[in-house]
């Protein structure tokens, strides 16, 4: 297998996370050629250079276009702020590079659509960085559902909550400005939607109520300013399968740190998951003696691939950053023409459309179909 | 204190539960005269007699009217099927008796309204059997909220789930017939609404999506029949305070046995509760060093009244039936003219109206205000 | 079935608990004649009278001997302080009454032995108030073990912890005096031993280390006094079956309120239980696909007898006091000559002997066999 | 800062884990020069070469001595089977290299002592791979104890359980041969001892009971063979501080996968931890209103260093392999002469001596002091 040449644009947290993944994928999996870390792009040239040394890249540029054009680069990791995704991804695809772009795709449906068109025109792999779907726990849930372990899914509940906006005394910031988007919907919704897509399929219709826990927030300069975004979004939905469900997201939920709680009910059992305890899942099966039935807490282990590539003993725990290593391996699989577990641009665009339908429902106060 | 003369109508589970409470209230609390168990009513005369002996009642009748008319009866416990509540409660109130009626009030808003009118005309105490609000854990949550322990409540989520309708293979029964009502909404909604009312106040508006996990169910005679009720109801709401929330109920949720999960988010903290672990609650407070913050699991104990009346040591656990004993004590307090923690007919009618608004929202597919 | 005449000696918490059980056993089970509450004994005559009214007893005496001698009394509930158990139980048995005596049996092995001899001579039923073994959860564990659900038991761990002695600043009290016994060993050990006896059989040998978390405690009068008892006892043991185990008890364990945590490991699975969550147990079975194995949280319900006699729906929760009602029913069963689930004096004496062996091991610093 | 030249001996799981750490330490921490991966040693030359490419090493040898002698190597990671540790570590130290050696130190006390002597003679850093102490959760526990958050520690319980030896039907293997050591004691005890050492200080004396869940195991060739090792070890101990405690280890505990459960009780609170949920800890403090006290579940986050170097948001979870990255950073800190959180050879030898004292106690059936 020819070694893959990697270009990376962006050196914030997600840039670091991609870099860690590219450094770790070969040692971890042991079945793939170690990628060459070729070219790092970052707006500031000096920063680009020092980060290249730190992250293990051979070259660095203060202009991202040089990364995209580098002939030794086969794939471009895009980890810049969302408003740059479209331009960079389209340029990379047009230059004949594979693309691994962080979610969400873009800041407008038009941009996201153009990205998909560029991907289709290029014939290259164009995938999004939906890491939660790579967890051996959620991958096992998918397998269980596919194997009929809980029968036909008929009801789904998802919650995603953090508390970074919970402090009423924190000064008004850009996340409370309308320019930043709708609020929790933008920050959170694509994550649970990626999981729903993989686990139970796409949404068909939604009704949404967004809410503001705090009508105004204090200004650093004194006084206060009306909050324009919604830290809470409450959504009822129907899946394309007809099953009903709910999605509740809250970025001002005191005490919640990284909660993505999923409940999936089927005709023969149920599945539970909480991202705050990402190394376990719970399975109830309506089988065997009634007196012995209960939710089973399954700790992920070597029998839940690809956990075994990280640790040879069960129950020892993967971390959030490990999910990116799995994603990198899936991407390499996809590039090699093998079956892979990824969200590519076509599915990504559907997720974006769902978020836009949610916003529309909030405005119209009624049900909205997702086309 | 004069001993209270008790009449009881109905000897099903709730009848037994009332009888246990009347037997236990004096030994448990030790601060009230032991009620006299005067007269038991049950449709079948022989059954009435044998049950009277078993439950400790002095007299028995096959006609409930004799219970209501018994001059030694001061209070009538009504535990018959819902369709009889109105007639019996109105008769008892008219006869000058206090009434303790199981929830829900009645099968129509008109009946429930008439019950409230009879109560107001009688000047007697007329309370509903909303036992979940009597749990020392939920009572402590109420106190915490009132004391500002979590600041101003800005978001609420409630789920109520059981699995008695989860078996797709179970034959079509009366609970799947439209004549039995809407389904999960009727079975469940009043319970979480009683808790919401006590904890965070009444609802102002709702949007509802009811769903059928199984379109049809097998007939015992062969073939199958279309299901007419909804085992699932998904509700978004706004409280009168403006706070947003959700109420999700499901009587076909495999693995859930008696779940009433409550999440209350405020400007300074959060509260969690799950009826399946009814002897604990969780409190998060955004206080003290950030590195020491977390959800605190509080086991109810002697510092959470009236737990101490049952057991002199903390963490030993009350049971579901104990809640009825507390309710009986509150009722006696109310009759004695003392402050009491109860849901009486006026508040009960508001709960019934909320349920009816929910049904209307499902039909109109839009938001409905609760008047 | 002739109605059983009940005498009760003692009106502290356990007296109240027995009274509640005698009031509730017939309504709860519905298959037994309601016992007659005949005679209440309490050292203070006036208190005896007011308590008799409260608890539902027909007669009251300031002298417990009148209870024992009352010809209408068939069974005597003994709930007085431990030092009175022997005299009262022997008197009651000699008078031809059945005895239900609270644990522990007595304050000396000699007394306990005399109690067993009196019971054997009388031919009457003589049972001890070991209520934890009556929990539908622990009864189900016993059934699971007997049915081979976890194979052959090879290792057992039990912890019993509360925190009523945890406050270092609390003044020196009688529980810190040597006259009160060894400390945690006396307060706690018989409870887990009753469960061990029922679940995995008796202990064969022990090695023990008792410890004092606080060498001295403040005196109310100023200064401090050396603590003479041990709030902590750590025990390694071997069962008669040869399996190894540990028993750790601590009455100064901050945060623990009513913990009795049991772990039982077998050749084909494991069982877990914690009294603080007394309505659930956990079962692991090494069966089925490895990827689906995990500890199953089983909520007790109608399939775990006799839960169904209390509540007709699963997962709603029994309370600590309910266990005494079950115990009363078992006792009535035993008196009627039916198979019953109880700890009688012979087994109780074995438990007492085990505690004494533990004390001896602490003193000798070596292993001690239990004869 | 001059870049550190790394030599690695061994390419099993721990070798891979060290390699991942050396690849990740600079990108993760961003405050240290990226180490140069210089030379990989592995018994098989061809394997050494292919692994070097995979893991990112520049050179490879089939003879470990060439790694130790390589002038560009500043530090040697030793991840070979335990019997090789002493020879390799002593050679590396003698050659003037720093050493990072996996635990346990050696297979005999004499070897371990010689290792310490070599380390002291060399003046180089010699650290052991005790990774559990690097978890931000356990590091926070250490800080809490040091800060007096739970007062004076007076009781400690540790359990370490897995189930890789639980299957009675698995054929007799080398882990059941006496040549492999004592059993669970060798496999497990050093891990909890490393945590105890860091959290509450060293042990002073022990009494031990080792046990065999299965007297014999089937032979692949038919028949069975007596088991010579102990899958279970039960230990009571006293710390040097005088506090009592227990350490229970079991490698045949069905359902346990990576459990290291710690309970630490102090005069003002308690701390709980379970490695199977390695991203949380529980803290109880006897402060504030009694009705609000409870165990607080603290999810590790950016306020628990060095979590923030991995992920900029709390509650997202580190993994087991991340602990090795933290350890590598600590080692680099130590080499740079900064304060570091590590277990070096002197403390490691004390841990080895404690394990040997445990074995002696099992043989003598009595208490043994650790000198």
């Amino acid at each position: 297998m020819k070694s893959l040449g990697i270009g990376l644009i962006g050196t914030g947290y997600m840039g670091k996370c991609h870099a860690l993944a590219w450094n770790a994928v070969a040692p971890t999996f042991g079945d793939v050629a170690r990628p060459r870390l070729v070219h790092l792009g970052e707006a500031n040239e000096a920063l680009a250079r020092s980060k290249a040394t730190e992250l293990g890249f051979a070259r660095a540029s203060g202009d991202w276009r040089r990364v995209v054009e580098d002939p030794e680069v086969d794939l471009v990791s895009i980890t810049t702020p969302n408003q740059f995704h479209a331009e960079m991804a389209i340029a990379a695809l047009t230059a004949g590079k594979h693309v691994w772009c962080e979610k969400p795709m873009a800041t407008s449906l038009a941009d996201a659509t153009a990205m998909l068109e560029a991907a289709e025109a290029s014939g290259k792999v164009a995938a999004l960085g939906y890491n939660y779907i790579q967890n051996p726990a959620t991958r096992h849930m998918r397998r269980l559902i596919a194997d009929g372990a809980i029968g036909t899914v008929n009801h789904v509940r998802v919650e995603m909550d953090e508390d970074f906006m919970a402090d009423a005394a924190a000064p008004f910031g850009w996340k409370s400005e309308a320019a930043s988007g709708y609020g929790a919907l933008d920050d959170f919704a694509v994550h649970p939607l990626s999981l729903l897509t993989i686990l139970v399929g796409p949404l068909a219709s939604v009704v949404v109520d967004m809410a503001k826990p705090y009508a105004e927030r204090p200004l650093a300069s004194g006084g206060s300013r009306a909050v324009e975004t919604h830290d809470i979004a409450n959504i009822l939905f129907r899946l394309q399968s007809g099953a009903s469900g709910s999605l509740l997201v809250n970025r001002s939920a005191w005490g919640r740190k990284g909660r993505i709680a999923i409940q999936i009910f089927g005709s023969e059992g149920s599945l539970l998951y909480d991202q705050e305890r990402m190394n376990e899942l719970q399975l109830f099966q309506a089988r065997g003696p009634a007196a012995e039935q209960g939710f089973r807490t399954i700790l992920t282990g070597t029998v839940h691939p690809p956990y075994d590539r990280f640790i040879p003993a069960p129950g020892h725990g993967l971390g959030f950053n490990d999910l990116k290593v799995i994603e990198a391996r899936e991407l390499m699989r996809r590039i090699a023409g093998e079956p892979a577990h990824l969200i590519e641009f076509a599915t990504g665009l559907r997720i974006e459309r769902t978020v836009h339908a949610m916003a529309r429902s909030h405005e119209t106060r009624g049900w909205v179909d997702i086309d």
Side-chain angles (χ1 to χ4, degrees), chain A:
Chain A
M1 206 186 318
K2 181 186 156 286
S3 167
L4 198 69
I6 306 298
L8 167 63
I9 315 178
T11 62
Y13 168 57
M14 285 316 300
K16 168 174 162 173
C17 201
H18 277 235
L20 282 167
W22 290 124
N23 272 284
V25 67
T28 300
F29 280 87
D31 62 355
V32 72
R34 191 174 171 97
R36 285 167 299 114
L37 278 56
V38 174
H39 206 142
L40 178 70
E42 169 57 66
N44 178 305
E45 179 100 27
L47 180 61
R49 276 207 201 119
S50 86
K51 281 289 172 187
T53 309
E54 185 178 303
L55 305 179
F57 279 81
R59 286 194 279 286
S61 300
D63 176 0
W64 64 268
R65 294 193 178 274
R66 299 201 27 215
V67 176
V68 166
E69 293 156 5
D70 189 324
E72 283 188 49
V73 165
D74 300 311
L75 175 149
V76 181
S77 272
I78 301 172
T79 68
T80 51
N82 304 344
Q83 67 266 33
F84 303 119
H85 288 180
E87 186 182 11
M88 291 172 177
I90 292 168
L93 289 162
T94 307
K97 315 298 189 187
H98 304 295
V99 163
W100 187 16
C101 181
E102 274 308 308
K103 71 275 161 190
M105 279 178 91
T107 48
S108 75
L109 267 186
D111 276 359
T113 307
M115 287 166 79
L116 174 58
E117 285 164 1
E120 285 172 347
S122 72
K124 292 290 162 180
V125 174
L128 291 157
Y130 281 110
N131 49 334
Y132 292 115
I133 66 166
Q134 301 299 347
N135 187 340
T138 57
R139 292 178 71 144
H140 189 56
M141 290 168 75
R142 188 194 196 195
R143 217 154 25 231
L144 286 168
I145 293 169
D147 292 352
I150 61 166
T152 304
V153 169
N154 57 49
H155 187 52
V156 180
R157 294 182 192 158
V158 187
E159 295 164 89
M160 180 165 181
D161 303 310
E162 302 193 13
D163 64 3
F164 60 83
M165 296 293 281
D167 188 357
F172 187 99
W174 67 272
K175 278 192 174 275
S176 294
E177 285 187 58
S180 74
Y182 285 96
L185 194 68
D186 303 80
D187 271 355
F188 286 172
V190 297
H191 298 285
L193 286 173
S194 71
L195 286 162
L196 284 170
T197 299
I198 290 297
L199 294 169
V200 295
L203 275 61
S205 58
V206 291
V207 66
V208 179
D209 181 34
M210 297 195 212
K212 298 174 184 172
Y214 310 118
E216 46 188 37
R217 287 182 181 272
L219 284 167
S221 54
S224 65
R225 181 172 159 187
V227 171
E228 295 158 4
T229 55
H230 299 83
D231 294 338
I232 296 170
N234 306 305
I235 300 145
L236 302 184
F237 62 78
R238 290 294 180 122
L239 296 178
Q240 285 191 353
S241 72
S244 76
S246 57
L247 171 59
L248 310 169
V249 301
N250 186 350
R251 61 184 189 181
S252 66
W254 271 126
R256 301 306 195 187
K257 303 300 178 183
R259 178 169 160 93
I260 305 181
I262 302 176
Q263 303 177 61
I264 302 176
F265 298 99
S267 57
E268 296 173 30
S270 305
L271 276 167
L272 308 180
Y273 175 77
D274 183 349
Q275 179 68 27
E276 282 181 353
R277 288 178 172 167
M278 61 174 275
N279 290 294
E280 56 193 69
L281 61 128
Q282 290 187 70
L283 169 65
F284 179 94
Q285 288 182 298
R287 295 184 189 169
E292 268 80 275
Q293 291 178 7
F295 277 98
R296 218 176 294 168
T297 300
I298 302 172
L299 292 174
T300 48
T302 51
V303 289
H304 305 100
Y307 175 104
D308 60 306
R309 308 316 304 167
F310 290 81
I311 313 166
H316 282 61
L318 301 197
F320 183 78
N321 288 348
D322 291 330
L323 305 185
K324 218 72 198 169
V325 183
I326 303 177
E327 206 179 322
R329 183 66 192 89
E330 290 296 329
L331 193 55
M332 293 174 86
R333 228 183 276 285
R334 177 66 181 79
I335 289 170
E338 297 159 24
H341 180 70
L342 277 176
I343 290 186
E344 300 186 47
F345 279 16
T347 303
L349 182 57
R350 167 101 209 164
I351 290 174
E352 306 284 326
R353 266 212 287 271
T354 305
V355 173
H356 281 79
M358 287 173 176
R360 226 152 58 234
S361 167
H362 172 69
E363 279 153 15
T364 61
R365 307 301 290 161
W367 284 86
V368 168
D369 290 336
I370 301 147
D371 34 72

